[in-house]
Amino acid sequence: MDLDVLNMFVIAGSTLAIPILAFVASFLLWPSALIRIYYWYWRRALGMQVRYANYNDYQFCYSYRGRPGYRPSILMLHGFSAHKDMWLSIVKFLPKNLHLVCVDMPGHEGTTRSDLDDYSISGQAKRIHQFVECIKLNRRPFHLVGTSMGGNVAGVYAAQYPEDICSLTLICPAGLPSTTDSKFIKQLRELQESKRIDRIPLIPSTPEEMADMLKLCSYVRFKVPQQILQGLVDVRIPHNEFYRKLFLEIVDEKSRHSLHENMSKIKAPTQVIWGKQDQVLDVSGASVLASAIPDCHVYILENCGHSVVVERPRKTANLILEFLALLHSIDNSKKQA
């Protein structure tokens, strides 16, 4: 074989081998780095840009796509111990001309974490209002979406700052009393009785505990490799102390039923989406909301757990779009009447 041809194959082989070896090394040795790269790539692929906003000495980290237009902007609030990138699975199915904003909740990811901050649900709602004012999102009423803890905050926000929003989507929101205890609530009671409250099921510190948390939160059984489970744990462990503090704050008496206490003040058209097989927050909460909020549209998703955003992203995105289209149609009818 010609020496130049041989050299060409060697160079080509080396060029291919380097990224493959780097990927394998990252997967085996630094799975947490691979997870961060994954989110970075996904954000870029979907056109989401990361920005920071400052309110005095407090910093908010958020991602966005599009610009404010004739349709309402959409602000998304994630759940406990998650981050803004959890919404990427939904963003994938939303039109690119919609103005979307996903913010890291107080103390999470790139948003300021302070021991002096108020992490109660009302305290978080106040912080989100500061963020909204920082980026002038409330120049026009916007659509607010929240899931789990973020759903609790979103509901309280809608009650406390009604002039800011035009409509509301609550996905398996926390903050409601339930007539039926979920599997998670039963686990918490057992841990309290055995005085092992430090082992909160939503705060894993081993790959095995991470696998258990995923089973608790999802009806769909995802096959997650051990290395990825380890990476997910590695990413969370440095924050677990904060998550424990936050958890105790949001289950405290002044926050535990915040959404329920503010339901009567919610005047915006409201959409509720809940997984029928939710093991974290029982689906009976949907009927509680429906009976208290006048203009409430409820959708129960079959074969779906607490992680609605991950398990049924296309369906969730479509429901939000259909809800906004319905409200737009109703608004037009009123103007023509």
Side-chain angles (χ1 to χ4, degrees), residues 156-171:
V156 172
Y157 188 103
Q160 294 182 353
Y161 308 100
E163 66 283 354
D164 280 4
I165 71 165
C166 60
S167 46
L168 178 68
T169 294
L170 302 176
I171 304 173

Side-chain angles (χ1 to χ4, degrees), residues 153-294:
V153 175
V156 172
Y157 188 103
Q160 294 182 353
Y161 308 100
E163 66 283 354
D164 280 4
I165 71 165
C166 60
S167 46
L168 178 68
T169 294
L170 302 176
I171 304 173
C172 304
L176 297 169
S178 176
T179 54
T180 305
D181 284 346
S182 66
K183 181 178 179 179
F184 172 62
I185 297 300
K186 290 176 182 177
Q187 287 179 346
L188 280 183
R189 288 217 174 103
E190 290 172 4
L191 290 170
Q192 284 178 325
E193 290 171 4
S194 61
K195 297 183 179 179
R196 298 172 67 191
I197 194 61
D198 58 310
R199 297 192 62 183
I200 299 167
L202 297 181
I203 308 177
S205 55
T206 67
E208 292 72 26
E209 289 176 0
M210 174 58 72
D212 289 340
M213 187 188 83
L214 294 178
K215 290 177 184 177
L216 178 68
C217 293
S218 301
Y219 175 79
V220 177
R221 291 293 176 254
F222 299 102
K223 292 183 179 179
V224 184
Q226 183 74 9
Q227 285 297 323
I228 296 299
L229 289 172
Q230 183 64 61
L232 291 170
V233 170
D234 291 344
V235 168
R236 294 171 64 99
I237 280 178
H239 310 288
N240 276 356
E241 185 178 343
F242 165 72
Y243 293 153
R244 288 189 184 93
K245 176 184 175 182
L246 174 62
F247 183 81
L248 293 175
E249 188 75 46
I250 61 179
V251 299
D252 185 72
E253 284 186 13
K254 69 175 182 178
S255 288
R256 189 180 306 162
H257 297 145
S258 290
L259 178 55
H260 185 255
E261 292 162 2
N262 283 272
M263 286 189 308
S264 62
K265 299 176 186 176
I266 298 175
K267 305 304 179 185
T270 301
Q271 174 187 53
V272 175
I273 304 173
W274 216 303
K276 189 173 183 178
Q277 285 75 29
D278 191 339
Q279 298 183 97
V280 178
L281 299 168
D282 192 76
V283 67
S284 59
S287 59
V288 174
L289 289 167
S291 62
I293 301 175

Side-chain angles (χ1 to χ4, degrees), residues 15-176:
T15 304
L16 289 171
I18 289 171
I20 292 171
L21 289 172
F23 176 83
V24 172
S26 296
F27 183 75
L28 295 176
L29 302 176
W30 306 290
S32 59
L34 197 62
I35 290 168
R36 290 190 178 96
I37 292 170
Y38 166 76
Y39 281 124
W40 171 83
Y41 175 79
W42 203 5
R43 279 198 306 268
R44 285 183 62 87
L46 294 175
M48 297 293 287
Q49 300 182 56
V50 176
R51 292 290 185 272
Y52 295 88
N54 293 295
Y55 183 89
N56 296 328
D57 58 348
Y58 196 90
Q59 177 179 268
F60 296 95
C61 181
Y62 67 101
S63 61
Y64 79 97
R65 188 176 75 183
R67 293 183 176 183
Y70 72 94
R71 289 194 286 186
S73 298
I74 300 178
L75 174 61
M76 300 179 171
L77 308 182
H78 65 74
F80 172 77
S81 77
H83 49 75
K84 60 187 175 297
D85 292 331
M86 71 159 284
W87 294 107
L88 292 175
S89 56
I90 297 283
V91 169
K92 178 182 177 181
F93 298 106
L94 293 174
K96 289 188 176 180
N97 59 350
L98 266 181
H99 181 222
L100 309 175
V101 180
C102 306
V103 64
D104 285 326
M105 297 294 283
H108 290 74
E109 198 76 6
T111 292
T112 296
R113 178 179 301 172
S114 169
D115 291 336
L116 301 177
D117 215 5
D118 178 5
Y119 291 107
S120 68
I121 296 301
S122 60
Q124 292 190 60
K126 183 178 179 180
R127 279 296 188 197
I128 296 302
H129 182 61
Q130 291 170 354
F131 167 71
V132 164
E133 293 191 317
C134 272
I135 66 170
K136 297 179 171 58
L137 188 64
N138 54 352
R139 283 180 174 175
R140 291 181 57 198
F142 58 87
H143 181 71
L144 183 58
V145 181
T147 184
S148 197
M149 179 192 78
N152 195 352
V153 175
V156 172
Y157 188 103
Q160 294 182 353
Y161 308 100
E163 66 283 354
D164 280 4
I165 71 165
C166 60
S167 46
L168 178 68
T169 294
L170 302 176
I171 304 173
C172 304
L176 297 169

